[in-house]
Amino acid sequence: MKYLPGPALRATPIALAIMLLAGCGSNDDDPAVQIKTLSTRADLVSGGDAMVEIVLPAGGQADGLKVEVGGRDVTSAFALRNGRITGLVTGLASGENTLVARTGTTSAAELKITNAPRGGPVLSGPQTTPYVCATPTPQPATGTTPATHASGLGTTATDAQCNIATEFKLYYKTTTAGCSFALPDPSPSVPFDSTTPPTTANPPANPCFKPYTVGSTPADLATTTTDAGATVPYIVRVERGTMNRGIYDIAVLFDPTKPWTPVAPQAQWNGKILYQFGASTGQPRRQFRPATAWTDDKSLSRGFMVVANSLTDSLQNSNRVMMSETVMMMKEHIGDSYGAIKYTMGSGCSGGSINSNMNASIAPGLLDGITISCAYPDSESTLLEVNDCVLLVEAYQKPAWLNATAGLTPAQANAKKAAINGHRDQTGCHAWFNRFGTNAQVGNYLARTVVDNTTGAIAQATALTNNCQLPTSQVFDKTTNPTGARCSAWEWAASIWGKSDDGIRARETRDNTGVQYGLKALLDGAITGEEFVTLNETIGGVDKDSQLMAARSQADTTALDIAYKTGIVMSGKQLAKTPVIDMRGYDDSLIDVPPGLTAFPQALVGIHHQWRSFSIRDRLDKANGNHDNQVIWRFGRNGFTPSATMNTSAFLTMDEWLTKLKADTSTNPIEQKVVAAKPAGAADHCFLSTDATQSVKVTDAAACDADPYLRKAASPRQVAGGPLTEDVLKCQLKPVNAADYQGKLDAAQLTRLQAVFTTGVCDWSKPGVGQQAAVGWLSFAAGPGGQPLPAEPVSRER
């Protein structure tokens, strides 16, 4: 949708006669106009369009306004609207464009506008290849040709950046009771390997949203009343297209009988955005549709715009800088196509919470507030627990550990594992092992799975797969294909991390050097000295190709610097600029089922542990001295998915918070504004697991903590002595000190431990290696590592 020129400028009540004339001269001593881009910075424009404002100098007049870009007259795009001279400049070339504006009474001014292609990138650096474009219908793999996903669009990609023509469809909300809010068009599947052809699910038999024909009045057409009090037919327009190689959906209430331009949006849109982030995590080399559905009634019905892009779904894209860039590009597109945005509320569970938090850390200000559930702070520090669990689960099956624990009952052995893992029981690590233990695999692999939660026994698949979702012949193999595509998250984001000295593999952050697994369990008497030493002798690490090895893992120190500086390890200092409502349910076990559920696997996956929300809080406290921008709502029944009632309450509370925040026009720091705008309803509380109706708010934190299904556990790194912040990717080291073990080790065991840790053990009293403050808003256009964005471009007198 493109802007249509508005009406000619008219005389205002103060009789400012404005005419759009060209060619009038000016006095060189006259002050110049100012030129501003409105939807994004002038050096971060994408898609060939830019919403521009011309600001007159004090006392200036707009008689004879002329605006040019690249020598092309674009004056007709500009008009006086709501007291401001604005216009959408289209047709910008890729790269630098010079926009020049003058009036008959002002000197000319120019603004350099840097435009990136719609397919990206803007600031995330070169895009990783190969990348397989989606097709109108899914195609299975044939030989060395990868499978494709269904795009949900009617035409094929036009170029290597997977640009597909944008489409618009109309739907209406039915009044039929019991309808389904699943997508009314065929839904995308989630294939996890490169051999199974993708499929699409059929639409529900009774969808809440049905196709709408312009001019019709269906008997079951619902109406809705927006938060501005307007009652309108519940008709939604969905825009589907591509941006930054991702496929996006934009849904908003729409009146098909009226025009919509970015300078005159339809009134039923309240200017607010709900940006939905998809869950899980992955790095497939294929174009997908968004995993989240645009059919969010609580927001659409109130006049919100619902937005998603597959590259902001964590399952489809684990490059968090590219993810943040995509949000930026989507918001600019909305500003250029629909109108000014009042605020953007982010939302997501699990990997969706990672993207919400990491937006706030990497590019503060893109999201004005977030409502999250089953939250993690970021992907790099979450991988600490994943990688530790992989090593521990494997170690527990090794002969050395089995010999050290011989004679124990299964319950006794599992109690020791739980104490070492820090979890409620041994299945927390089983869950991580099975769901994401292979996510960092670089090449083709045979998946390993815990098949017995009592013994921890592991089975290995017989068919190769890979995380790129490419044919195995195209993927890295150390012997047969050393230059094939490498499929870990670091490889997918090589433009951020850079390459190691060999110029082939991407730098990475995996490290467990000096980590004393089970240290607190030893000191608490939960494991013996022999078990402690044996575990640390045998646990080992993984090499740069993700293969198990006897030595400990070593991070690339440059990658550590990048992780912290960029904000890829979520910064408490940056997060303090964003209001957060965190809804936390129970998902700490695969076998201990909370009230409201009958049995696993109903609504449990075993990885969204209670302590994570408080880890985020600990980062806020340590960075800012408070966590006043964060609210935690806990619930002890029904698993980890918040109820519709809680989700709606969080949504409305955040709406109130952000409305008040945006009304604050003071010059106070944003952190202070966030706290000042906090509504009374934004306060910690829990619903106890004994509360069958989940309706009694408990504000006593001690009472919440005492509930067995709200109680916080820990992680393997915390049991090893690490902080609750869980943000030390690689620890600094200190010599082994016998006194640290409180007499729990004999002389022989101490000698063996020193042989394991020849360079020392973790000194948790010190910051992590490379740990530093996040800079925020880095550009990787000039290369890995990133550079802070320069000062925002401003116009200058020509």
Side-chain angles (χ1 to χ4, degrees):
M1 178 172 61
K2 298 295 184 184
Y3 163 67
L4 299 177
L9 298 175
R10 303 185 181 93
T12 67
I14 61 172
L16 173 64
I18 300 175
M19 300 177 62
L20 296 181
L21 303 173
C24 295
S26 65
N27 189 316
D28 290 341
D29 294 330
D30 291 334
V33 299
Q34 293 182 45
I35 309 168
K36 299 179 179 179
T37 53
L38 299 181
S39 299
T40 192
R41 287 172 45 131
D43 54 350
L44 298 178
V45 169
S46 63
D49 302 340
M51 183 63 71
V52 174
E53 179 181 10
I54 309 298
V55 182
L56 300 176
Q61 295 185 356
D63 293 16
L65 175 68
K66 183 174 182 179
V67 186
E68 297 177 326
V69 62
R72 178 168 52 93
D73 192 330
V74 293
T75 308
S76 60
F78 289 83
L80 183 69
R81 304 175 176 99
N82 299 317
R84 302 168 71 185
I85 303 172
T86 57
L88 183 71
V89 177
T90 62
L92 296 173
S94 292
E96 187 176 275
N97 298 258
T98 301
L99 189 143
V100 180
R102 64 172 66 84
T103 72
T105 59
T106 64
S107 299
E110 67 177 28
L111 177 66
K112 301 293 185 182
I113 298 177
T114 305
N115 171 60
R118 183 184 182 94
V122 179
L123 49 73
S124 65
Q127 295 169 325
T128 301
T129 56
Y131 188 74
V132 182
C133 302
T135 49
T137 58
Q139 302 297 317
T142 56
T144 59
T145 302
T148 66
H149 197 278
S151 65
L153 293 160
T155 58
T156 58
T158 59
D159 53 30
Q161 286 189 296
C162 297
N163 287 310
I164 306 174
T166 303
E167 297 177 7
F168 300 89
K169 294 182 180 179
L170 295 174
Y171 296 89
Y172 73 92
K173 169 71 167 54
T174 179
T175 57
T176 304
C179 61
S180 169
F181 281 99
L183 283 170
D185 59 334
S187 304
S189 65
V190 185
F192 282 94
D193 60 66
S194 60
T195 56
T196 303
T199 59
T200 53
N202 292 323
N206 181 24
C208 291
F209 288 93
K210 298 179 179 180
Y212 176 76
T213 301
V214 177
S216 66
T217 307
D220 60 340
L221 172 62
T223 60
T224 187
T225 302
T226 69
D227 62 8
T231 300
V232 296
Y234 202 154
I235 299 171
V236 175
R237 191 182 74 171
V238 178
E239 175 186 347
R240 180 169 294 157
T242 55
M243 183 75 67
N244 209 18
R245 300 200 302 184
I247 299 173
Y248 68 81
D249 284 340
I250 298 173
V252 67
L253 291 174
F254 188 78
D255 184 344
T257 68
K258 297 179 180 179
W260 187 321
T261 72
V263 294
Q266 292 188 7
Q268 64 271 23
W269 180 40
N270 58 20
K272 305 170 186 176
I273 294 173
L274 176 66
Y275 201 110
Q276 299 186 127
F277 296 95
S280 193
T281 195
Q283 48 279 341
R285 305 292 182 85
R286 295 196 288 180
Q287 188 181 42
F288 287 77
R289 278 177 57 188
T292 56
W294 56 261
T295 54
D296 186 79
D297 180 61
K298 72 178 184 300
S299 54
L300 283 174
S301 65
R302 290 175 167 87
F304 278 69
M305 178 181 289
V306 178
V307 181
N309 184 305
S310 58
L311 282 190
T312 60
D313 288 343
S314 187
L315 179 63
Q316 318 305 347
N317 175 26
S318 55
N319 181 334
R320 310 302 171 175
V321 175
M322 185 199 300
M323 174 273 299
S324 298
E325 170 187 68
T326 303
V327 174
M328 177 187 73
M329 295 173 71
M330 290 296 298
K331 289 187 65 176
E332 187 207 348
H333 171 66
I334 292 165
D336 291 348
S337 302
Y338 291 85
I341 299 168
K342 289 182 179 178
Y343 74 66
T344 304
M345 183 193 307
S347 178
C349 166
S350 194
S353 72
I354 287 176
N355 279 350
S356 298
N357 282 322
M358 294 184 77
N359 254 276
S361 181
I362 293 170
L366 276 181
L367 302 178
D368 297 290
I370 58 177
T371 61
I372 55 178
S373 57
C374 33
Y376 303 104
D378 58 70
S379 50
E380 292 302 304
S381 61
T382 300
L383 278 170
L384 293 176
E385 188 173 34
V386 180
N387 293 332
D388 286 345
C389 278
V390 168
L391 295 174
L392 287 165
V393 169
E394 293 282 2
Y396 295 146
Q397 297 300 304
K398 293 179 180 178
W401 175 261
L402 295 174
N403 290 336
T405 56
L408 298 178
T409 66
Q412 291 171 327
N414 286 329
K416 290 180 181 289
K417 294 176 185 177
I420 295 165
N421 301 350
H423 297 156
R424 189 178 185 93
D425 56 48
Q426 76 280 4
T427 65
C429 268
H430 294 173
W432 275 125
F433 186 94
N434 287 356
R435 287 190 169 267
F436 292 99
T438 57
N439 192 257
Q441 285 287 340
V442 170
N444 297 309
Y445 62 89
L446 298 172
R448 291 171 62 76
T449 306
V450 174
V451 293
D452 188 319
N453 279 323
T454 300
T455 66
I458 301 170
Q460 182 165 293
T462 57
L464 286 172
T465 189
N466 62 74
N467 295 320
C468 289
Q469 296 185 14
L470 294 173
T472 56
S473 62
Q474 297 181 7
V475 171
F476 168 83
D477 182 277
K478 191 171 185 177
T479 303
T480 62
N481 193 13
T483 61
R486 295 173 64 91
C487 302
S488 73
W490 299 285
E491 306 292 346
W492 172 243
S495 63
I496 310 304
W497 303 107
K499 296 288 188 177
S500 62
D501 291 341
D502 65 10
I504 297 175
R505 69 169 183 86
R507 301 185 185 115
E508 59 164 273
T509 64
R510 279 183 293 193
D511 195 284
N512 68 338
T513 301
V515 176
Q516 299 184 85
Y517 291 98
L519 177 61
K520 289 185 178 179
L522 168 71
L523 299 180
D524 292 342
I527 62 174
T528 67
E530 183 61 27
E531 291 162 348
F532 172 71
V533 174
T534 298
L535 177 64
N536 283 285
E537 286 176 326
T538 60
I539 194 165
V542 291
D543 66 17
K544 299 304 183 183
D545 295 330
S546 301
Q547 302 305 301
L548 296 171
M549 63 179 183
R552 297 298 183 100
S553 307
Q554 290 270 9
D556 296 295
T557 55
T558 301
L560 298 171
D561 290 334
I562 293 169
Y564 292 112
K565 180 179 70 172
T566 304
I568 290 174
V569 174
M570 192 209 76
S571 161
K573 181 66 73 175
Q574 299 285 51
L575 186 63
K577 302 172 183 177
T578 305
V580 180
I581 298 178
D582 182 333
M583 294 168 279
R584 174 60 65 179
Y586 174 86
D587 189 33
D588 285 41
S589 171
L590 296 178
I591 56 177
D592 190 355
V593 180
L597 300 180
T598 56
F600 177 77
Q602 183 183 356
L604 287 180
V605 295
I607 61 174
H608 305 99
H609 300 168
Q610 293 280 330
W611 66 268
R612 286 287 180 181
S613 294
F614 295 90
S615 175
I616 296 170
R617 175 162 288 183
D618 204 36
R619 293 195 197 181
L620 288 167
D621 287 339
K622 289 181 177 176
N624 310 292
N626 66 75
H627 52 264
D628 293 343
N629 68 305
Q630 184 210 34
V631 176
I632 300 176
W633 294 353
R634 288 187 276 174
F635 51 100
R637 297 176 71 91
N638 307 318
F640 65 92
T641 304
S643 66
T645 299
M646 179 175 279
N647 262 322
T648 300
S649 179
F651 172 79
L652 294 176
T653 302
M654 184 57 70
D655 178 38
E656 181 183 358
W657 198 341
L658 295 180
T659 298
K660 188 176 179 182
L661 175 62
K662 288 299 180 179
D664 185 347
T665 58
S666 72
T667 58
N668 292 332
I670 183 62
E671 296 88 344
Q672 293 181 19
K673 291 184 179 184
V674 166
V675 176
K678 190 175 182 179
D684 286 1
H685 68 259
C686 76
F687 297 108
L688 299 176
S689 62
T690 53
D691 177 7
T693 62
Q694 295 288 278
S695 59
V696 180
K697 290 184 179 179
V698 176
T699 57
D700 181 356
C704 297
D705 292 342
D707 189 304
Y709 293 100
L710 297 175
R711 186 180 302 133
K712 300 180 290 292
S715 71
R717 289 286 165 117
Q718 292 165 50
V719 176
L724 176 59
T725 50
E726 197 94 344
D727 57 355
V728 176
L729 301 182
K730 178 180 178 63
C731 64
Q732 296 194 57
L733 302 176
K734 65 179 182 179
V736 174
N737 183 351
D740 291 344
Y741 307 101
Q742 302 175 9
K744 304 286 186 179
L745 302 182
D746 61 29
Q749 290 165 345
L750 188 61
T751 298
R752 288 164 56 197
L753 194 70
Q754 289 171 324
V756 173
F757 298 109
T758 57
T759 58
V761 295
C762 287
D763 185 348
W764 299 109
S765 68
K766 296 179 179 178
V769 176
Q771 197 162 9
Q772 59 193 276
V775 175
W777 282 98
L778 299 181
S779 173
F780 298 81
Q787 295 294 324
L789 289 180
E792 184 171 356
V794 296
S795 61
R796 64 179 181 84
E797 190 168 355
R798 190 173 175 85

